[in-house]
Every structure is written in structure tokens, then in C-alpha cells.
Amino acid sequence: MMPVLTRRRVAAAVSPAVLIAALAVAGPFLAPHPVDYPVGIAFETPSTTAWLGGDRVGQDVTSQLLHGGWGLLVLAAVIAGLVTTCAAVLGSTAALYSRAGAWIERAADLCMLLPPVLAILLFMLSWPESGTGGLITVAVVAGTPYSARVFAAAASGVARAGFVEAARARGERPGYLVFRELLPNLRHTLLTQLGLRFVEAIYIVSTVSFLQLPTSLGAANWAVMVRENASGILLNPAAVLAPSLAIGLLAVSVNSAVTAFAGERPI
């Protein structure tokens, strides 16, 4: 059982992430107007009928903000989960088997030479019809190598532990060793990497949307709102600052929540 003070700290760290994620998912149902609802002239100032004013074509910024978060959240969560899972399996395998580990580490070093954003640009500009599936594939391939090196370093000590050596002596299969012996003892590394990969995924997905590369996030997502309304930031700053702040709060709050779970110590 965790002490009351620790539970309160974890709850305080998790609550913003839960609130922002819930608003992102439920936003389309809470929006006061349709996403393309006009409230007046371009960059209309905030008012009682349009709390955040209008965008570059006079549409309601508040409604767009509530419609534009769920896709970013889901896509970033999928990428973060896949990267963390692939990296954990590869890193644990590298720690258990030195020969396979050498090949995994060489391949990881080679893949890390190409920055993820550049890899996504090259792939999606060459194959624009790949859409969201292509973005997820390239983001996972480009993001896994660095995280796999982290898992390999964290798992190296556990792989030499007596209970792992006993399981290997019993002839247990690699899958058993990875999923039953190593990964349960890497919980803090798993959670920490999941939080970091989520922040990276938010950055990648936002960049792709900002550059108008093909995805299924729609025209109302937060990154597109920042790009399209940047020219009117002096006329209606909320049209740019609100989605920018939403992206930052989503990434920071989720990472803080995951870090809180990673740092808790049951007693």
C-alpha cells in the first residue's frame, strides 16, 4: 500500500492529464458549434458568443479547439505504445543474447543516423497515399532504435541475475525470458520511456500536421490551427496561442502522469 501523501502526489500529477485527455476525446460532443461555424469576420475578437474569437476565415476557434485534440492524442498514444513495446522487446533480447544483441545495437546505431522528422518527410513526400498508416510505420521504425539502446542498458543487469540464469538453465524459451523474467523487473524504465515517447510522438504528429503532410487528423487539429492562424496572431492571439498551449499541456501533463507512476514505491 502507498502512503496517503504519496497517493495524493500521484493523484495531483495524474489529474491534469486525465482532464486534458478527457476534454480532447469528448471535445467534439462539448463544442458549442460545428467545426466550421462562422462567428464573424476574419480573426474576430473573443466575445460572449465566441469565447476565443474567430480564425482566419471567421470560424469559431473554441469549437475547432474542442474538435482538434482527439486525433492528435490517439495517434501519439498509438505511436508511443508501439515504440515502447518494440524497444522493450529488442532491448531485452539484446541483453539476454550477446550475439543477437550485437546485431541489434549495430542496426540501432545505423537507424539513429537519420532523424525521425527527416525520415518521415522523405517517406511521406515520396508516398503521400500512405497517410496515417505510413506515419505510424515510419515513426515507429525511426523512434525505436534509441529507446531500444536504453532498454538494453537497463536490462543488462537484470539479465545476469540469478533467477534469469536459473530460467535459462531450465531451458525456457526467449519469449518467456523476455516477458516473464525481464520486463516485469523493468517497470520504471517502461513507464519512463512510454512518457518520453509520447512527448516525442506529439512533436512528430504536430510537425507532420503543421507541414500539411497527409494524415487523417482533419483540418481542425491543433497543429493546423497554429499554422493557418499565425498570420493573424496580432489580431486574435487566442487563435494561435490556444492550440499551441493545448499541445504543450497535453504532452507535459501525460509525461508527468507517467513519471509519477514510474516513481511510486509500494510498501
Side-chain angles (χ1 to χ4, degrees), residues 151-171:
F151 275 105
S156 60
V158 182
R160 295 191 295 269
F163 63 90
V164 176
E165 294 295 339
R168 298 181 71 171
R170 293 197 307 267

Side-chain angles (χ1 to χ4, degrees), residues 82-84 86-88 90 108 139-149 197 200:
L82 289 175
V83 169
T84 304
C86 293
L90 289 174
V140 171
V141 171
T144 297
Y146 177 81
S147 188
R149 294 299 299 268
R197 293 316 112 202
E200 182 185 28

